[in-house]
């Protein structure tokens, strides 16, 4: 009963990415085209890895999961954003907002932990090659996968629990095109200083520590490959460079959004667009374009189906 009295707001109004009709139309077309081209590419990556017996190494196992996580992540925001572009009034229910926020952080944290696991996999493969098959056996890979899903769930449930404890009894306009922690907290009709600190610790500090840890691990790997042969060195450099690109695409916007006090900046919405829609779809594609084995397997798969 107390919960019902405190939370009067039953829905939120999303102010959207921009108020300009021309800008909305342009973004709608660009995102739709990008979505329809890149999203099938992610599913093709998953199908290629699952159907080719030659792509059973842990590296490809984790790449397939990265493509799945990124595709799932893009479903949380992009479809609704595209529909809202065509709607005069953009409304999301209180429960819908909390659900969107939960899955956004669940899959986002899961991907963040997956990138840490992929860095560990590359470290063992390059710095401890003789122990690789023993350390990264299928059982360990599935255990790591389960751990990152549990880590993502724990992170997200904490975020949602903190939001659910806040009373919302006044303004209900979210200055964004989706529900996220910084904008929702601002609408609570209570002092949110402590919650702000908890959110920054749970999202921002965790993101920053993972980012710095990943950079340090790849620095160790790159220093290690200096003494390798030319062929092995080039392959390791190519793989690590791809991983580092993905790390910056994933963590750069997240650090910008979550590691500072929740104040609005002019670039917030643009950064959020790239963080929630553009970069998640691009990550597996970037990785695949730099991986000769996956590209060759994908061509074989396409040729086989085209011949049939």
């Amino acid at each position: 009963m107390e919960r019902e009295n405190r939370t009067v707001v039953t829905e939120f109004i999303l102010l959207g990415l921009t108020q300009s009709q021309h800008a909305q139309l342009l973004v709608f077309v660009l995102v739709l085209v990008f979505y329809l081209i890149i999203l099938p590419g992610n599913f093709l990556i998953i199908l290629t890895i699952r159907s080719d017996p030659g792509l059973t190494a842990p590296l490809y196992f984790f790449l397939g999961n990265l493509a799945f996580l990124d595709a799932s992540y893009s479903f949380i925001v992009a479809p609704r954003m595209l529909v809202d572009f065509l709607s005069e009034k953009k409304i999301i229910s209180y429960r819908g907002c909390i659900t969107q926020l939960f899955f956004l952080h669940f899959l986002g944290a899961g991907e963040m932990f997956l990138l840490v696991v992929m860095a560990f996999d590359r470290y063992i493969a390059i710095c401890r090659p003789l122990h690789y098959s023993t350390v990264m056996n299928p059982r360990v890979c599935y255990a790591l996968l389960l751990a990152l899903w549990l880590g993502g769930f724990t992170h997200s449930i904490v975020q949602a629990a903190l939001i659910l404890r806040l009373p919302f009894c006044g303004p209900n306009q979210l200055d964004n095109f989706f529900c996220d922690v910084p904008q929702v907290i601002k609408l609570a009709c209570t002092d949110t200083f402590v919650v702000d600190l908890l959110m920054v610790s749970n999202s921002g500090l965790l993101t920053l520590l993972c980012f710095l840890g990943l950079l340090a691990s790849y620095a160790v790997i790159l220093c290690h490959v200096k003494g390798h042969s030319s062929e092995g060195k080039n392959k390791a450099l190519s793989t690590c460079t791809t991983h580092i690109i993905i790390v910056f695409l994933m963590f750069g916007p997240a650090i910008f959004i979550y590691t500072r006090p929740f104040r609005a900046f002019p670039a917030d919405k643009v950064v959020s667009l790239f963080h929630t829609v553009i970069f998640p779809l691009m990550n597996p594609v970037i990785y695949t374009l730099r991986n000769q084995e996956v590209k060759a397997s994908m061509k074989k798969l396409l040729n086989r189906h085209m011949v049939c």
Side-chain angles (χ1 to χ4, degrees), residues 2-307:
E2 183 186 352
R3 178 76 180 83
E4 291 179 359
N5 289 336
R6 289 173 62 196
T7 303
V8 177
V9 172
T10 58
E11 62 184 24
F12 294 105
I13 299 172
L14 302 174
L15 297 183
L17 188 63
T18 176
Q19 300 302 311
S20 168
Q21 293 295 326
H22 295 293
Q24 284 194 41
L25 180 61
L26 177 61
V27 175
F28 172 82
V29 172
L30 290 175
V31 171
L32 181 61
V33 171
F34 185 82
Y35 199 66
L36 293 178
I37 292 174
I38 303 296
L39 186 61
N42 281 359
F43 288 116
L44 179 60
I45 293 169
I46 298 171
L47 181 62
T48 300
I49 291 172
R50 290 186 62 87
S51 62
D52 191 338
L55 300 178
T56 56
L59 173 66
Y60 304 113
F61 171 74
F62 293 128
L63 176 58
N65 281 279
L66 176 66
F68 174 76
L69 272 172
D70 278 327
S72 302
Y73 190 80
S74 68
F75 275 122
I76 299 170
V77 175
R80 182 181 181 88
M81 183 183 71
L82 292 171
V83 171
D84 283 344
F85 274 135
L86 305 176
S87 305
E88 199 168 311
K89 204 169 185 182
K90 306 166 181 60
I91 296 175
I92 185 170
S93 67
Y94 175 81
R95 289 184 179 181
C97 182
I98 299 300
T99 301
Q100 186 181 60
L101 184 151
F102 171 81
F103 281 104
L104 191 74
H105 285 268
F106 176 35
L107 297 175
E111 181 175 353
M112 180 173 67
F113 296 138
L114 177 57
L115 292 177
V116 173
V117 169
M118 292 176 76
F120 175 72
D121 170 73
R122 289 301 85 203
Y123 172 80
I124 299 296
I126 295 171
C127 300
R128 299 287 185 272
L130 297 178
H131 301 92
Y132 184 70
S133 58
T134 304
V135 176
M136 298 303 293
N137 61 65
R139 188 174 179 178
V140 171
C141 290
Y142 281 108
L144 289 171
L145 188 65
L146 177 62
L148 69 89
W149 280 101
L150 288 175
F153 178 81
T154 303
H155 162 79
S156 187
I157 204 71
V158 170
Q159 298 282 84
L162 289 172
I163 293 291
L164 286 169
R165 290 176 62 86
L166 295 174
F168 296 94
C169 50
N172 67 337
Q173 290 189 337
L174 281 173
D175 189 18
N176 212 336
F177 56 92
F178 69 103
C179 281
D180 200 5
V181 174
Q183 291 77 31
V184 175
I185 283 182
K186 289 178 187 174
L187 300 182
C189 48
T190 186
D191 182 21
T192 60
F193 177 75
V194 175
V195 178
D196 281 347
L197 291 181
L198 290 173
M199 291 294 184
V200 168
S201 299
N202 189 31
S203 289
L205 185 60
L206 182 65
T207 303
L208 185 60
L209 289 175
C210 285
F211 176 69
L212 295 176
L214 284 168
L215 290 185
S217 65
Y218 284 118
V220 170
I221 293 172
L222 292 175
C223 289
H224 184 81
V225 300
K226 281 184 178 180
H228 284 202
S229 64
S230 181
E231 184 181 350
K233 182 177 180 179
N234 290 337
K235 188 172 182 180
L237 284 174
S238 177
T239 303
C240 289
T241 301
T242 306
H243 280 227
I244 292 169
I245 291 171
I246 293 176
V247 165
F248 273 98
L249 291 179
M250 171 70 184
F251 286 88
I255 289 171
F256 178 83
I257 295 169
Y258 299 116
T259 57
R260 54 182 168 80
F262 294 142
R263 293 175 296 170
F265 282 82
D268 280 355
K269 291 183 181 181
V270 176
V271 173
S272 295
L273 175 66
F274 279 92
H275 182 55
T276 57
V277 181
I278 307 298
F279 288 158
L281 292 171
M282 287 177 61
N283 288 345
V285 177
I286 291 171
Y287 195 98
T288 304
L289 290 177
R290 295 179 60 90
N291 190 294
Q292 297 302 322
E293 289 83 358
V294 177
K295 281 199 294 185
S297 181
M298 196 176 291
K299 286 177 183 177
K300 288 179 185 176
L301 181 66
L302 291 174
N303 290 335
R304 188 162 66 242
H305 283 279
M306 287 176 70
V307 170

